[in-house]
Amino acid sequence: MRWKEQLLTLTPYQPGKSIESVKKQYNLDKIVKLASNENPFGCSGKVLSALQLNLEGMPIYPDGYATNLRDSLAAFLQVEPEELIFGNGSDNLIQIISRALLHPDAGTVMATPTFSQYKHNAVIEGAIIKEIPLNSGNHDLDGMLKAIDEKTNVIWLCSPNNPTGTYIPEDALLSFLEKVPPHILVVLDEAYFEYVVAEDYYNSISLTRRYPNLIVLRTFSKIYGLAALRIGYGVANPEIIKALEPAREPFNVNSIGQAAAITAIEDSEFVEICKEKNRKGLELFYQFCKKHQLEFYPTQTNFILIDFKVDGDTVFQYLLEKGYIVRSGKALGFPTSVRITVGSEEQNEGVLKVLSEFLQNI
């Protein structure tokens, strides 16, 4: 087989360990998964009811244009239907953008560490990759601007950033967008948008009108609790959407997911409750870090990256054997840290108790 050479250098995306695999490996009855930034409170009860009404359509292909979801989301965001593109999760949209704009003679600029799939897809397309190190956990926007050259086609911004949870303030983002040449696509990945409480966060949807080279990516996988159904979307100038559509595979958003997403955006009360509970949970982690003098990044997400000043795999393994699945920072670019999803009150108290035991034993 004459595989693409770049595929031979890549490893597949490594998700957090599954609950069943950990139960089996360590003979545990109860496992708490705090590794993949899922919503510990599930999804809206209204969504579960809506799903029951859409099971009869299983033999039929989904609406490839996602008409009902498109119309509902356009009204919710106050945009035109032609300004939306849908994906099998926002991961799929990252893949579509990479397929459409990246190739061996094209370049892309991104932060590091950041979400791994920007680089992963760029490598597959054989693109020229420029990674700009974070500055105290934040995007070095000046460094990213300096990295732009005549081959640059795409710039990736993750705000809030995964894995640090930090965000780009409005003034900094506007200044950056003003300086990016208009032929370069700026991708603003906002997977954790609904969790943000910072006062100087921006209205990214309105910015897509002001900057025609900007696309905003969001997902129903996080606060909406629909990760299993894989629904992501992008908002951009209609010309960008039109150009990207041929790179989107047909029927990439399933019917049940479309129906669930429509109902999810109607239940704003559920979203606000989850957001409030998340902030309360984060305060417990902040207090823990301050008590034990551990460094961390204040986060606008539903996860926290904590530096334990020891091998992150060691912390990960200790928690794993106690029934808590988290993510070692080693694979995320922070070798002495772990990233922990904020869970329910019971889950947070449980993992912090085990972490306290770990610190007493080192």
Side-chain angles (χ1 to χ4, degrees):
M1 300 291 181
R2 297 178 181 177
W3 304 107
K4 280 186 174 181
E5 286 187 16
Q6 51 268 38
L7 279 177
L8 304 179
T9 67
L10 286 173
T11 55
Y13 178 76
Q14 300 296 317
K17 283 183 172 289
S18 72
I19 290 174
E20 291 306 316
S21 68
V22 175
K23 276 185 178 180
K24 184 176 180 180
Q25 184 175 0
Y26 296 102
N27 196 28
L28 296 169
D29 294 325
K30 182 180 178 182
I31 302 295
V32 176
K33 186 184 178 189
L34 300 173
S36 301
N37 310 331
E38 295 143 333
N39 188 341
F41 309 109
C43 66
S44 164
K46 295 179 181 179
V47 169
L48 296 177
S49 299
L51 292 181
Q52 296 299 318
L53 301 175
N54 286 275
L55 296 180
E56 293 182 0
M58 295 287 279
I60 309 300
Y61 281 109
D63 175 4
Y65 190 65
T67 306
N68 292 336
L69 174 57
R70 184 180 298 273
D71 290 342
S72 296
L73 189 59
F76 178 73
L77 298 174
Q78 297 185 322
V79 300
E80 297 300 321
E82 296 77 19
E83 295 177 89
L84 293 169
I85 186 171
F86 294 93
N88 186 39
S90 52
D91 292 335
N92 183 214
L93 294 168
I94 294 167
Q95 184 182 51
I96 289 169
I97 291 167
S98 300
R99 186 178 186 185
L101 284 165
L102 298 181
H103 50 81
D105 198 38
T108 183
V109 177
M110 64 193 70
T112 185
T114 191
F115 186 47
S116 63
Q117 292 305 288
Y118 311 146
K119 182 177 181 179
H120 186 95
N121 282 282
V123 170
I124 290 175
E125 302 302 335
I128 304 161
I129 302 169
K130 293 187 179 181
E131 296 180 279
I132 309 303
L134 296 175
N135 184 0
S136 299
N138 297 293
H139 282 63
D140 178 3
L141 296 179
D142 289 337
M144 296 179 80
L145 286 170
K146 291 176 183 176
I148 295 172
D149 60 25
E150 70 280 357
K151 292 191 175 183
T152 305
N153 271 6
V154 182
I155 298 173
W156 305 91
L157 302 177
C158 189
S159 178
N161 186 47
N162 182 4
T164 58
T166 54
Y167 72 103
I168 303 171
E170 182 176 22
D171 288 348
L173 178 63
L174 292 177
S175 176
F176 179 82
L177 292 173
E178 287 289 340
K179 296 169 185 174
V180 175
H183 66 277
I184 297 174
L185 183 67
V186 178
V187 183
L188 184 55
D189 187 345
E190 292 188 322
Y192 300 92
F193 160 76
E194 290 84 3
Y195 285 108
V196 175
V197 297
E199 293 183 0
D200 57 346
Y201 200 73
Y202 40 81
N203 182 339
S204 59
I205 303 301
S206 67
L207 293 180
T208 60
R209 304 283 177 83
R210 183 171 171 182
Y211 299 98
N213 61 328
L214 175 67
I215 184 169
V216 175
L217 305 185
R218 291 183 183 172
T219 181
F220 284 90
S221 295
K222 302 304 179 183
I223 206 166
Y224 288 107
L226 302 179
L229 296 179
R230 313 305 299 126
I231 308 291
Y233 64 92
V235 185
N237 181 285
E239 291 302 313
I240 290 178
I241 302 299
K242 184 178 179 181
L244 289 175
E245 278 288 347
R248 179 181 64 83
E249 64 186 56
F251 313 118
N252 66 327
V253 181
N254 68 82
S255 298
I256 295 177
Q258 291 181 39
I262 291 170
T263 305
I265 59 177
E266 295 172 353
D267 194 353
S268 58
E269 182 180 359
F270 173 79
V271 171
E272 287 304 315
I273 289 172
C274 292
K275 184 175 182 177
E276 182 179 348
K277 288 181 177 179
N278 180 70
R279 294 316 299 184
K280 288 181 179 178
L282 276 173
E283 285 303 321
L284 290 178
F285 284 94
Y286 289 166
Q287 292 169 18
F288 171 83
C289 291
K290 291 171 183 176
K291 177 182 177 180
H292 294 282
Q293 298 182 312
L294 299 172
E295 294 181 3
F296 66 95
Y297 292 108
T299 174
Q300 295 293 320
T301 66
N302 67 333
F303 62 80
I304 183 169
L305 186 72
I306 304 174
D307 189 352
F308 286 87
K309 301 299 182 184
V310 297
D311 190 323
D313 285 352
T314 301
V315 186
F316 165 81
Q317 188 63 34
Y318 185 89
L319 289 173
L320 191 66
E321 294 177 14
K322 301 292 184 178
Y324 290 90
I325 309 173
V326 299
R327 286 299 293 269
S328 169
K330 213 165 191 179
L332 304 174
F334 292 88
T336 60
S337 300
V338 294
R339 191 192 69 191
I340 306 172
T341 303
V342 179
S344 66
E345 184 177 0
E346 179 184 0
Q347 292 170 341
N348 296 334
E349 291 175 350
V351 74
L352 290 175
K353 180 180 178 182
V354 175
L355 283 170
S356 294
E357 295 170 358
F358 171 80
L359 291 172
Q360 291 172 2
N361 293 326
I362 61 173

